[in-house]
Amino acid sequence: MDETSRTRNVVHAYVDSAERRDWEAFAALLAEDVVYEMPQSRERIRGKSAYLQFNREYPGDWHLQVRRVVADGRHAAAWIDARVGAEHQDACVWFELSDQGLISRITDYWPEPYDPLPGREHLVERW
């Protein structure tokens, strides 16, 4: 399997393990020094432990489904169908993988800017 195919598979596994709330499988895809950013809320999370906690604690009955993944080498973009209850949003998520094939950077774009939800201040830095 070439690097682009591996990257595409990692992105699919990332979304699938998050949807199933399989945090062990999810964590296995992440580099220890992973950086997660949401430009619309200007939030950044550094490190696997904080990012796992962020996802475990994310409120609501949310669901994710991949619509499309475009990959090139160790980079990929995914169009994600995100739902919380009856509310639906499309997200575009950019991924960078390390030399070891682990996710090292995630940039999560949502359609509208928004203020961060309360209760995660201990996990994020603002810019």
Side-chain angles (χ1 to χ4, degrees):
M1 181 180 312
D2 67 8
E3 189 174 58
T4 296
S5 296
R6 280 192 300 273
T7 298
R8 187 178 299 106
N9 287 344
V10 166
V11 170
H12 279 281
Y14 169 91
V15 175
D16 181 58
S17 60
E19 170 62 26
R20 291 182 290 111
R21 304 336 186 241
D22 182 346
W23 303 123
E24 187 175 323
F26 187 81
L29 301 168
L30 304 174
E32 286 297 326
D33 60 349
V34 65
V35 175
Y36 174 76
E37 292 184 334
M38 292 180 289
Q40 283 75 9
S41 63
R42 297 182 338 271
E43 292 176 282
R44 178 180 298 122
I45 299 172
R46 294 181 188 273
K48 182 192 285 193
S49 178
Y51 187 53
L52 282 170
Q53 184 176 351
F54 171 82
N55 280 281
R56 283 186 188 118
E57 295 175 358
Y58 202 87
D61 182 26
W62 51 268
H63 296 280
L64 305 174
Q65 182 177 14
V66 171
R67 289 187 175 212
R68 182 175 301 152
V69 174
V70 177
D72 183 22
R74 294 187 323 225
H75 297 88
W79 175 11
I80 306 290
D81 177 0
R83 297 181 185 271
V84 179
E87 184 180 335
H88 164 264
Q89 287 191 332
D90 289 316
C92 182
V93 186
W94 294 88
F95 296 87
E96 294 179 30
L97 274 61
S98 69
D99 291 339
Q100 295 74 36
L102 299 173
I103 298 170
S104 59
R105 186 169 201 87
I106 305 158
T107 307
D108 208 343
Y109 289 96
W110 294 91
E112 299 290 333
Y114 62 93
D115 289 327
L117 297 172
R120 58 191 190 203
E121 298 84 3
H122 62 292
L123 299 172
V124 303
E125 59 187 67
R126 300 286 310 276
W127 78 88

